Amino acid sequence: MVSGKKHTLVTLVEDKPGVLNRVASLFRRRAFNIESIAVGQSEQPDLSRMTIVVTGDFAQVEQVRKQLDKLIDVVKVSDITEEEMVARELALVKVKSDISNRSEIIQIADIFRANIVDVASDSLTIEVTGEEDKVDSLIELLRDFGIKELSRTGRIALTRGGRGSAK
Amino acid sequence: MKKTGAQILCESLIEEGVEIIFGFPGGALLPLYDTLLLYPQLRHILVRHEQGAAHAADGYARVKHKAGVCLATSGPGATNLVTGIANAYMDSSPMVAITGQVARPFIGKDAFQEIDITGITLPVTKHNYVITRVEEIARVVKEAFYIAQTGRPGPVLIDLPRDVQEEKTEFIYSGKVDLRGYKTVFRGHPSQVKKAGKLINGAVRPLIIAGQGVVISQAYSELEELAEKTQTAVVTTLLGIGSFPENHALSFGMLGMHGTAYANMAVQNADLIIAIGMRFDDRATADTKGFAPQARIIHIDIDPAEIDKNVSVDVPIVGDARQVLQSLNKEVNEMKHEEWLEQIIQWRQEHPATNIREGDELLPQYVIRQIYEITGGEAVIVTGVGQHQMWSAQHFFYDRPDSFISSGGLGTMGFELPAAIGAKAGRPDRTVWCVAGDGGFQMTMQEMATVVQDKLDIKIAVINNGSLGMVRQWQELFYERRYSGTQLWNPDFVKIAEAYGIPGIRVGRKDEVISAIQEAMYYPGAFLLEFVVEPEENVYPMVPPGLTLSKVMELPEAAQSKMGG
């Protein structure tokens, strides 16, 4: 049932046990696949900010947004897809590497302004931050060397400019 | 002075105006049940199954317009509540469900009678709580009642561990609720109201669809004013029954799958639908693609998530039905729609829905009509789900609010008897008739013991057709009469009632119906009537599944003549 474009929902939620479950349960019930969900502290002491990426057409996502807004522990939820935003993701990539190709991989990482955060005799771990496209591109390039492990945080996003998206 | 958690819970309930608790005790509630003895102003009605407690709280809520309270122990007590909680959730009924929980040190250890009831009820509650400290009880109870009773009402569950019931703290009850994530819009947006007024003033074939939101916000007189001022016909949803007097000249009954043909024709031919406090449920709209194809739609609802959920609308107004109608009534002109009303009246003459076939056999519709006649239309009718429910909706004419109590959204068989208990406990001044099917009645008939123990004067009519009639009807019409799993062997309902101490009569002939109903009414206490009715009687009109409201199936003419009409 899910077609359409990627939507970025930014929510401010009460920092309490079970809130992530309430949010995730709602997506399950409305048959939505969450592409990524990132949760962490916000600028306000008892509130967490969640960034949720889902795919769907406007009406479907708007329905989920309104259902999310009904949760008592959800203080605010905005679909910022059409707004100017800064969106970032962090990935850690452990790639097979030995003395023969180590400098080549480091060069690639440099181009992406990625950091080498761990070096072993048979691997390199690279930390990269950026929009998903950039992370995707780096991962594609590293695939040729053999990726041993990969972990991505999913998108976090804020609207640009002075006005808060989710106050 | 410090008080225990159980005392604080009881005193908080009293602060909220609670008079009755429907409950069933258990190990995790022992401290609370011991404390209940100290608060005789909290009447405890002991049910025989926790599902009954939840339905009773639901029935109570619907006649009292305030939250019903049910109480169950941990584990199976809590899970038995779930159907009743889900029923209240689907029908927007305010409820506070309180469950015992194992003591905190045992949580997460799979202790005896431990179950994650907040996890289980997550999708069927408006909100739920696990109390972890005695200091939270007063605030949580305050919030629970506030959430349950405001906005779009619904059930809220509070899970209370046993040891918290025994802990002590100072009791301070705050009159204020501070929930930053919970806001309800009551007044409709003025510019939306203006837009709606313009559409109404320009409409040639307007139609009001009134739902349960009108009942919940008690917008009866506002709805009547709108209908009369603009001379607009009114049809209702199943749960909207009672929102508008059915004997009013502008009333055209119920729409939907078993609605009147003329109500559905009015929907399909209207140029403007004014939908008030209803959610375009599939049983009301039939196929939404062909729903009201000529109409623009104004949708008034307090829940923003209902806007554009099932049917996309032209002018949404989010707000409380009563407040929105108060401002909308100022925007609309006095109008007449004589031609359009005459058209609907002509459809009514061509497709009568309230006639009952003449003949000797005992028809269920006739039973319902006689209950209407003999109670003077004053009774509260509480039904289960199935054919008897639809006949009760069709053949009793509801002029008073809060007179038709039924399980709409969830469609819960067995709702009728416990919900009637709640309705009678809440409104002892009203005559309460529990109209049951022979199938659903057996799901909760053990609550007859509750009826007797609490001396509740409930009249019970079991419409016995020997089958799970609505499913059988579908098997007849759409599965070539292959009756699979729908034929019932039944006990002797009159004897069962007698075993519980409830007198009863079995009625098998049409000419016995009136005197039996009169006897039940005359008897000072609960009474059961078993009506052995025509086994293959079907509910008509009917819109077959998957079709639009234009495709109304009426009683086949062959059947009409066969019955010697």
Side-chain angles (χ1 to χ4, degrees), chain B residues 27-282:
Chain B
L29 283 179
L30 280 166
L32 178 60
Y33 267 83
D34 190 46
T35 305
L36 271 178
L37 297 173
L38 304 174
Y39 296 94
Q41 62 270 58
L42 291 171
R43 176 182 175 192
H44 179 264
I45 294 184
L46 174 65
V47 295
R48 295 300 184 273
H49 184 291
E50 292 84 351
Q51 182 187 350
H55 288 327
D58 189 338
Y60 174 90
R62 295 193 206 198
V63 295
K64 295 289 274 189
H65 294 274
K66 68 177 195 182
V69 178
C70 55
L71 179 61
T73 193
S74 64
T79 55
N80 278 346
L81 285 180
V82 172
T83 300
I85 293 172
N87 191 79
Y89 183 75
M90 292 289 276
D91 284 353
S92 309
S93 204
M95 175 188 289
V96 173
I98 300 163
T99 50
Q101 183 54 279
V102 299
R104 286 167 294 178
F106 291 95
I107 290 179
K109 307 281 164 57
D110 298 319
F112 177 64
Q113 293 192 330
E114 183 198 354
I115 204 75
D116 171 20
I117 195 61
T118 46
I120 288 173
T121 57
L122 207 62
V124 293
T125 49
K126 194 168 167 187
H127 195 51
N128 61 22
Y129 294 90
V130 187
I131 292 184
T132 52
R133 295 181 314 123
V134 69
E135 292 79 12
E136 295 169 355
I137 295 176
R139 175 184 58 80
V140 165
V141 171
K142 181 83 211 161
E143 287 180 7
F145 276 84
Y146 181 73
I147 292 167
Q149 297 179 138
T150 55
R152 178 178 183 173
V156 178
L157 180 134
I158 302 171
D159 199 26
L160 184 61
R162 181 183 163 146
D163 56 335
V164 179
Q165 297 166 33
E166 290 168 325
E167 259 193 339
K168 285 186 171 177
T169 189
E170 296 291 337
F171 174 58
I172 306 156
Y173 205 68
S174 157
K176 276 197 286 187
V177 170
D178 178 25
L179 289 164
R180 54 187 163 180
Y182 181 67
K183 307 153 286 282
T184 294
V185 179
F186 295 102
R187 289 186 59 235
H189 196 285
S191 72
Q192 292 297 97
V193 174
K194 277 212 160 60
K195 268 191 220 166
K198 254 190 202 155
L199 273 188
I200 293 170
N201 291 337
V204 180
R205 299 186 309 281
L207 181 72
I208 292 169
I209 304 178
Q212 202 198 1
V214 176
V215 177
I216 292 168
S217 74
Q218 297 180 273
Y220 314 114
S221 58
E222 288 79 4
L223 173 61
E224 225 169 305
E225 187 186 338
L226 176 68
E228 285 173 359
K229 191 173 176 188
T230 61
Q231 284 296 297
T232 299
V234 178
V235 302
T236 73
T237 65
L238 180 73
L239 295 188
I241 286 176
S243 63
F244 191 75
E246 290 196 325
N247 285 321
H248 194 287
L250 290 167
S251 168
F252 292 90
M254 179 174 78
L255 85 160
M257 179 174 271
H258 293 294
T260 64
Y262 43 90
N264 290 340
M265 286 162 131
V267 171
Q268 296 303 83
N269 288 283
D271 70 347
L272 178 68
I273 299 280
I274 308 157
I276 310 169
M278 57 84 74
R279 59 186 176 87
F280 298 99
D281 176 79
D282 54 87

Side-chain angles (χ1 to χ4, degrees), chain B residues 327-369:
Chain B
S327 40
L328 183 59
N329 284 340
K330 293 187 191 122
E331 300 290 330
V332 296
N333 302 332
E334 281 192 29
M335 304 171 76
K336 290 206 184 320
H337 299 285
E338 281 165 354
E339 211 176 309
W340 168 233
L341 286 172
E342 267 165 38
Q343 171 68 74
I344 307 174
I345 289 164
Q346 192 189 328
W347 286 326
R348 180 165 63 188
Q349 284 160 356
E350 289 164 4
H351 305 271
T354 55
N355 293 353
I356 298 165
R357 297 197 310 286
E358 300 285 332
D360 295 333
E361 65 278 275
L362 177 49
L363 293 179
Q365 299 93 321
Y366 176 79
V367 173
I368 303 298
R369 182 63 56 80

Side-chain angles (χ1 to χ4, degrees), chain B residues 541-557:
Chain B
M542 178 181 193
V543 177
L547 302 182
T548 71
L549 289 180
S550 308
K551 307 285 182 194
V552 175
M553 259 169 89
E554 296 182 78
L555 178 66
E557 296 213 357

